[in-house]
């Protein structure tokens, strides 16, 4: 019996994953729990183990494909065995018969009697030369799909089929638009389009029934009423009695495929997403002046951004907002900035597609810059006291705990103590509310060969110096070998990044949303420093010095609080009595 390899659930908020790399080929032997492929999500990369021993019979999703959690990505079984479907061998796999019941191919489905319908005609126009008749009352509902966790509604942009048209299973039936994406909606089954419930341009909630598709068989001609005889503004909503009926279906024949008397300008304005309209308002652009490349002339995000990048948005004729007094629109400083030129490639360039992790990092960083008011304060801290303590106990620590004692646990401890005094540093923003987080969960940025990941030390303020060291080293090691669990990269309340390991003096990092601050630790190196003796005499000494840069969200963190936070860290690291 074959077993299925499925896309695993990598965390509560994760609904899909991308097949990054297949570690086995079809036909190769796989041991139970042996890694068979690598997957990538927006939180973590991981290897997927084989649920059983055998041969990789089938790969159903190729590298680069993104699928929902629970989707079967591969099949493992005995050599020569056929891959299974729904847990059964292929020769016993269920097939869908009339009425939606599942049968194996060895069973015989009882045919359901056809329900004939008499179609009155008014100046009839035949549907090409096809002869169709509804063969059973079962229908399939076409619903507004869920296009993302935060998307609750969508707009019907264009019907690609009219009532009475034949449709193949998975054939594009209509186009929809949300504030995030444009997409085609495929037909859930083959048949004819029986009813259209939502007009073009209408916005409905996710899950709303957009149309009905019924199964058909060749029989006798059905004639369609002419478009003029149908009232387009009243789409026919199906009832159990009318669902299979071509009469009810044809009554809405002209709902799809028309613009309801609206002009192209109206369509462009009403069909552009809220995001596009917001961009237009910010840049003083009249959407009607842009030739849309989207559905029914709809202006897409790419259209308006390209329009702005060309400088067209700054022409005098575009600096007037339609409907406003005839006064020149004053361009914002952002509009006056030098536009970024388009990129061009040559034969010597190497073009590489972004990985899933890189795209997510790109999106996360861009969103953070647009969300928080970033300000950075820098302190120079004398780490000589820490360096001496560390050097004196390094061998003992290594022998006792089996791992090295770096500078970072000392910094973690100083951060948690400073956060206790200044809780605003450990907060989050929710609209016009400030959430002071009860737990102190430290995120530590770990550089990988293929990107960056931030595992989290939970309840760091409750851990000893030794526990902080062992936990941090364990997380870093497992991050580099793709063995982190999803919950180990979530829930951070404050992040620390350490470019100093590469020699950097200091940096101004981007805040890890939804946090409000991030600490950047520069390289710890020997530098000359002016010191003062107990007698008040100045002298120059060689000290272990480092720059600490705190980037914070100036919407809620004042400069004074950031300075006090760093000052307390400086005091603790330079003078505190440490214990392992």
């Amino acid at each position: 019996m074959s077993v299925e390899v499925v896309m695993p659930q990598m965390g509560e908020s994760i609904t899909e994953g991308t097949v990054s790399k297949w570690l086995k080929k079809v036909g190769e032997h796989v041991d139970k729990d042996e890694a068979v492929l690598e997957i990538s999500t927006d939180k973590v990369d991981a290897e997927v183990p084989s649920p059983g021993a055998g041969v990789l019979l089938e790969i159903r999703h190729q590298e680069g494909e993104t699928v929902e959690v629970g989707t079967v990505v591969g099949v493992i079984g005995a050599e020569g065995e056929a891959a299974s479907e729904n847990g059964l061998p292929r020769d016993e796999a269920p097939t869908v018969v009339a009425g939606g019941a599942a049968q194996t191919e060895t069973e015989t489905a009882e045919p359901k009697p056809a329900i004939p319908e008499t179609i009155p005609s008014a100046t009839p126009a035949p549907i090409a030369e096809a002869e169709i008749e509804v063969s059973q009352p079962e229908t399939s509902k076409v619903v507004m799909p869920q296009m993302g966790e935060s998307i609750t509604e969508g707009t019907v942009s264009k019907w690609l089929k009219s009532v009475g048209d034949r449709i193949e299973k998975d054939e594009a039936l209509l186009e929809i638009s949300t504030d995030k994406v444009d997409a085609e909606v495929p037909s859930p089954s083959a048949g004819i389009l029986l009813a259209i419930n939502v007009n073009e341009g209408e916005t409905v909630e996710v899950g709303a029934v957009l149309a009905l598709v019924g199964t058909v068989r060749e029989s006798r001609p059905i004639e369609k009423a002419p478009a003029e005889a149908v009232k387009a503004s009243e789409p026919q909503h199906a009832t159990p009695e009318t669902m299979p009926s071509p009469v009810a279906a044809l009554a809405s024949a002209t709902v799809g495929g028309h613009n309801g008397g609206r002009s192209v300008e109206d369509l462009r304005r009403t069909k552009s997403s809220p995001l596009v309209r917001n961009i237009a308002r910010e840049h003083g652009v009249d959407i009607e002046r842009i030739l849309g490349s989207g559905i029914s002339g709809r202006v897409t995000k790419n259209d308006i951004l390209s329009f702005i990048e060309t400088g067209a948005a700054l022409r005098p004729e575009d600096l007037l907002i339609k409907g406003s007094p005839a006064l020149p629109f004053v361009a914002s400083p952002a509009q006056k900035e030098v536009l970024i030129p388009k990129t061009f490639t040559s034969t010597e360039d190497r073009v590489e597609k972004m990985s899933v992790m890189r795209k997510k990092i790109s999106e996360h960083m861009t969103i953070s810059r647009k969300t928080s008011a970033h300000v950075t304060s820098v302190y120079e801290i004398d780490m000589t006291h820490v360096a001496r303590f560390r050097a004196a106990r390094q061998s003992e620590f290594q022998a006792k705990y089996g791992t090295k004692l770096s500078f970072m646990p000392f910094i973690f401890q100083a951060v948690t103590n400073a956060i206790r005094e200044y809780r605003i540093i450990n907060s989050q923003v929710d609209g016009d509310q400030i959430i002071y987080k009860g737990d102190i969960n430290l995120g530590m940025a770990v550089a990988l060969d293929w990107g960056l990941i931030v595992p989290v030390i939970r309840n760091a303020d409750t851990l000893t110096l030794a526990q902080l060291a062992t936990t941090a080293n364990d997380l870093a090691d497992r991050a580099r070998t793709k063995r982190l669990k999803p919950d180990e990269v979530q829930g951070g309340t404050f992040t620390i990044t350490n470019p100093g390991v590469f020699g950097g003096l200091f940096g101004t990092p981007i805040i890890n949303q939804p946090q409000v601050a991030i600490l950047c630790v520069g390289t710890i190196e020997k530098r000359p420093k002016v010191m003062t003796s107990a007698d008040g005499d100045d002298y120059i000494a060689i000290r272990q010095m480092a720059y600490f840069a705190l980037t914070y969200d100036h919407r809620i963190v004042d400069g004074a609080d950031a300075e006090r936070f760093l000052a307390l860290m400086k005091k603790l690291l330079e003078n505190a009595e440490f214990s392992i």
Side-chain angles (χ1 to χ4, degrees), residues 115-117 134 136-139 194 212 237-249:
I115 301 177
E117 295 286 345
V134 176
Q136 54 261 335
E138 286 74 21
T139 61
L194 299 177
L212 299 171
H237 296 265
T239 65
E241 291 75 20
T242 62
M243 280 169 63
S245 171
V247 176

Side-chain angles (χ1 to χ4, degrees), residues 527-543:
R527 290 200 287 266
K529 181 176 173 61
V530 175
M531 307 286 290
T532 303
S533 68
D535 297 329
D537 296 326
D538 291 339
Y539 64 96
I540 296 176
I542 296 174
R543 309 289 288 182

Side-chain angles (χ1 to χ4, degrees), residues 385-386 389 413 417 570-579:
H385 177 57
V386 174
F389 180 91
Q413 197 168 75
N417 288 331
K570 177 180 173 73
K571 178 181 177 181
L572 292 169
L573 289 170
E574 292 182 349
N575 302 292
E577 292 299 323
F578 300 107
S579 61

